[in-house]
């Protein structure tokens, strides 16, 4: 038998896949399992990116990698569309017809004028 050496992160991914497989009954009868798997992966990746040093990321982006910021913006637009659609499809009877994107609980992009700070460049 061949020995395989894996690191902790690889082990965590393997365990996560096994847990997912067990939770799904060991098969993929659920034709949308990739939808949920992709959401979980996006969540993990977002958490990892948010845990990284912001100044390091900013420096990388400033060194000619604006494309990464553009891709994040487009991914957010796509996620907003899916989120709004599913929230509107699943809301119960008697709820108003307002899009969830306007709900303060789901949208944290709004910045108050008092929250904006200008550096010496302005």
């Amino acid at each position: 038998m061949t020995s395989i050496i894996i690191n902790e992160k690889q082990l965590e991914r393997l365990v996560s896949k096994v847990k997912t497989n067990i939770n799904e009954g060991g098969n993929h009868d659920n034709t949308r399992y990739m939808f949920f798997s992709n959401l979980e992966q996006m969540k993990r990746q977002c958490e990892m990116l948010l845990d990284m040093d912001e100044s390091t990321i900013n420096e990388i982006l400033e060194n000619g990698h604006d494309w990464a910021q553009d891709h994040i913006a487009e991914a957010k637009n796509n996620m907003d569309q899916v989120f709004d659609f599913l929230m509107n499809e699943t809301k119960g009877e008697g709820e108003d017809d307002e899009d969830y994107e306007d709900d303060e609980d789901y949208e944290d992009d709004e910045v108050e004028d008092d929250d904006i700070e200008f550096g010496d460049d302005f």
Side-chain angles (χ1 to χ4, degrees):
M1 182 184 291
T2 305
S3 295
I4 299 174
I5 299 173
I6 61 174
N7 63 33
E8 185 176 349
K9 214 170 252 321
Q10 291 169 323
L11 179 61
E12 287 174 4
R13 287 185 193 145
L14 181 60
V15 169
S16 176
K17 285 182 181 182
V18 169
K19 284 181 179 178
T20 300
N21 196 24
I22 290 170
N23 290 339
E24 293 174 356
N27 59 39
H28 296 297
D29 289 339
N30 179 356
T31 59
R32 301 291 178 209
Y33 76 95
M34 285 302 298
F35 176 88
F36 297 103
S37 177
N38 288 339
L39 277 178
E40 287 293 330
Q41 180 178 355
M42 291 167 64
K43 178 184 174 187
R44 282 190 305 273
Q45 290 173 333
C46 286
E47 288 171 347
M48 289 173 67
L49 289 173
L50 289 169
D51 286 342
M52 295 174 78
D53 180 51
E54 193 172 317
S55 62
T56 301
I57 299 296
N58 191 45
E59 184 177 326
I60 293 169
L61 296 175
E62 292 293 325
N63 286 326
H65 296 287
D66 290 340
W67 63 268
Q69 182 171 337
D70 295 341
H71 282 257
I72 290 293
E74 188 59 31
K76 182 193 178 296
N77 288 337
N78 290 336
M79 180 59 79
D80 284 346
Q81 290 176 6
V82 172
F83 177 84
D84 290 342
F85 168 73
L86 290 174
M87 293 305 288
N88 287 323
E89 286 291 311
T90 59
K91 67 181 170 186
E93 295 288 325
E95 292 187 32
D96 60 20
D97 290 334
E98 196 172 315
D99 280 347
Y100 277 89
E101 69 180 65
D102 296 330
D103 193 331
E104 288 179 11
D105 292 339
Y106 298 105
E107 190 68 42
D108 60 358
D109 292 12
E110 297 177 23
V111 177
E112 298 293 326
D113 290 339
D114 295 342
D115 294 337
I116 299 174
E117 295 181 18
F118 295 101
D120 295 334
D121 295 341
F122 288 95

